[in-house]
Amino acid sequence: MSKLLKVVAFNGSPRANGNTAYCLKRMLDIISDKGIKTELVQIGNKKIEGCSACRQCKDNKYCIKKKDIVNESIDKMRESDGIILGSPVYFAGMSGNMKNFVDRVGYCFRNNCDKDRHNDLYRKVGCGISVNATGGAANTYSQMNYFFGINEMIIPSSVYWNLVAAYEPKTAEKDKNAMFTIDRLAENMVWVMEAVRDKKEKTN
Ligand SMILES: Cc1cc2nc3c(=O)[nH]c(=O)nc-3n(C[C@H](O)[C@H](O)[C@H](O)COP(=O)(O)O)c2cc1C
């Protein structure tokens, strides 16, 4: 029996039911239809402090700031095979909460590498979706890919970059090209995760 796969998605918007949430839920619906466990975590509507650069996470696996959602999110990432980041575009970049989140989570993983420099995100599958009104989505998409790309993660892709155009809440669905891109991204993510799992099971 193959291992049951899991995907966790993080929404960097303060709107728990906004456009980013819609896109993430849409992806997770497709992924769970393929028999994969899914979870959506709201990080945009919670207080998340920035990284203090104290480096106390070095060889400790967790952030020293224990009051917010960061450490439990690190555990959720460790338990998952796939990770999705979704952010609205704020002044041409990711939301402040998503940035604080990525800085702290990323530093915790990278400060806890094994002797071969792998950390716990090694060969997990990760992708990002960014939602803007009119500009900055490509930059934000790149920002999220930097997180995956520095942690030896595998990034699935789609027929276009994962950019959505929507301004008013609950209008993302109207961007038909983006919806096609997101649906295909979900399918490709599942394909890659299953291939990675099969390969890992063969080699172990
Ligand atoms: C503080 C702030 C900054 C924003 N900056 C941009 C921007 O630089 N470019 C843009 O196209 N839209 C910008 N927007 C619009 C949001 O990206 C857009 O409304 C998006 O759909 C919000 O997603 P959500 O519903 O998931 O929160 C900004 C919105 C806010 C609140």
Side-chain angles (χ1 to χ4, degrees):
M1 253 304 254
S2 288
K3 180 192 175 227
L4 183 65
L5 294 168
K6 189 185 165 194
V7 169
V8 62
F10 297 94
N11 177 18
S13 170
R15 296 174 177 160
N17 290 303
N19 294 316
T20 313
Y22 174 81
C23 297
L24 291 172
K25 283 178 195 162
R26 189 173 170 116
M27 266 194 90
L28 293 181
D29 281 350
I30 294 170
I31 292 168
S32 68
D33 278 352
K34 311 261 186 210
I36 293 172
K37 210 175 154 198
T38 61
E39 184 177 2
L40 176 59
V41 182
Q42 305 288 349
I43 60 166
N45 57 3
K46 307 210 164 61
K47 195 171 169 17
I48 300 178
E49 271 187 52
C51 177
S52 302
C54 65
R55 299 195 73 201
Q56 293 293 312
C57 55
K58 178 107 187 96
D59 303 323
N60 277 323
K61 297 255 176 193
Y62 294 102
C63 180
I64 196 166
K65 298 180 185 183
K66 297 187 193 317
K67 286 191 186 144
D68 61 25
I69 198 172
V70 166
N71 282 338
E72 65 184 88
S73 299
I74 287 172
D75 278 337
K76 286 181 198 294
M77 287 187 177
R78 285 199 179 108
E79 288 157 13
S80 297
D81 307 278
I83 296 163
I84 308 173
L85 299 180
S87 183
V89 174
Y90 284 1
F91 287 88
M94 54 173 64
S95 67
N97 265 35
M98 180 57 84
K99 183 71 172 81
N100 284 351
F101 181 78
V102 161
D103 288 348
R104 283 178 53 210
V105 166
Y107 224 43
C108 279
F109 279 110
R110 290 186 52 73
N111 273 323
N112 288 280
C113 291
D114 65 18
K115 61 175 179 33
D116 297 317
R117 292 189 64 183
H118 302 313
N119 71 55
D120 289 343
L121 295 174
Y122 175 56
R123 290 184 181 164
K124 291 185 190 288
V125 176
C127 57
I129 304 174
S130 68
V131 185
N132 73 179
T134 51
N139 186 46
T140 306
Y141 169 70
S142 300
Q143 279 186 299
M144 292 185 281
N145 284 337
Y146 286 128
F147 172 78
F148 307 124
I150 201 171
N151 286 304
E152 296 188 273
M153 294 179 69
I154 299 156
I155 306 173
S157 62
S158 186
V159 294
Y160 196 75
W161 304 305
N162 317 327
L163 323 174
V164 182
Y167 180 58
E168 297 297 341
K170 305 197 177 181
T171 55
E173 200 180 1
K174 289 188 191 159
D175 185 351
K176 295 292 174 205
N177 278 330
M179 294 307 105
F180 188 89
T181 301
I182 281 180
D183 293 351
R184 183 62 59 78
L185 176 68
E187 287 165 25
N188 288 346
M189 184 177 197
V190 171
W191 194 96
V192 174
M193 284 174 59
E194 288 175 347
V196 170
R197 175 195 57 197
D198 293 350
K199 176 82 177 167
K200 281 179 182 169
E201 287 180 354
K202 253 191 207 153
T203 7
N204 287 339

